[in-house]
Amino acid sequence: MALRTIRTQGDPVLTRTARPVKAVTPRIRTLIGDMLETMYDANGVGLAAPQVGILKRIAVIDVGDGPFILINPVIEETAGEQTGDEGCLSAPGMAGQVTRPNYVKVRALDMDMEEQVYEGEELLARAFCHEIDHLDGRMYTELVEGRLHEVKYEEEEEEE
Ligand code: NI
């Protein structure tokens, strides 16, 4: 596996619609492995393939309970509402308030091209919406209420 370069806002690839995956080829497996590694390396909770320059409908998410791998994901159902700060690895150092559903049900294919249904609330629901938006060329910054603001991350403690 290898780290991929995360594209940042202004890169036209982030505004394009990604294409459905027809088969999980060795190349797609490598891409998914690289996406997970790239997301964890950047301390992100989600990453969509267009963010690494690949216009395919693939997203990875991990809000702390292990990874979800979503191929050709579709939102089937939403409920409720949550408003909170959102950020994106393609807009580093920034955050802004976005209202999203508080519950989201997603249908997606897994690595074996089997259909799966996932349900998420709160942060996971937000991540499902955010990452699926990327597959349609949408950034959360279009949805921000008020202004984007800078976020300061605490410096990581130095390791011996
Ligand atoms: Ni993002």
Side-chain angles (χ1 to χ4, degrees), residues 6 31 36 65 67 71 74 89 127-128 135 155 157:
I6 298 175
L31 169 67
L36 285 167
D65 306 321
I71 298 173
V74 176
L89 294 176
F128 283 147
L135 305 181
E155 283 183 34
E157 281 179 44

Side-chain angles (χ1 to χ4, degrees), residues 74-158:
V74 176
I75 292 178
E76 287 228 319
E77 206 180 308
T78 64
E81 208 177 82
Q82 57 173 322
T83 300
D85 257 3
E86 202 161 308
C88 178
L89 294 176
S90 292
M94 305 300 285
Q97 282 228 320
V98 180
T99 298
R100 300 281 195 183
N102 197 51
Y103 163 88
V104 174
K105 185 185 198 178
V106 172
R107 188 178 295 273
L109 300 176
D110 64 17
M111 295 280 273
D112 300 315
M113 294 297 270
E114 302 276 349
E115 207 168 64
Q116 304 288 344
V117 174
Y118 304 109
E119 293 177 290
E121 291 184 323
E122 299 176 6
L123 180 57
L124 183 55
R126 181 178 291 282
F128 283 147
C129 296
H130 179 115
E131 299 312 328
I132 291 170
D133 273 355
H134 274 302
L135 305 181
D136 292 316
R138 285 195 297 268
M139 289 278 293
Y140 85 95
T141 47
E142 300 165 36
L143 305 172
V144 164
E145 299 148 25
R147 289 193 176 180
L148 275 178
H149 58 87
E150 282 184 43
V151 280
K152 274 198 175 161
Y153 297 104
E154 287 187 27
E155 283 183 34
E156 282 179 50
E157 281 179 44
E158 281 181 39

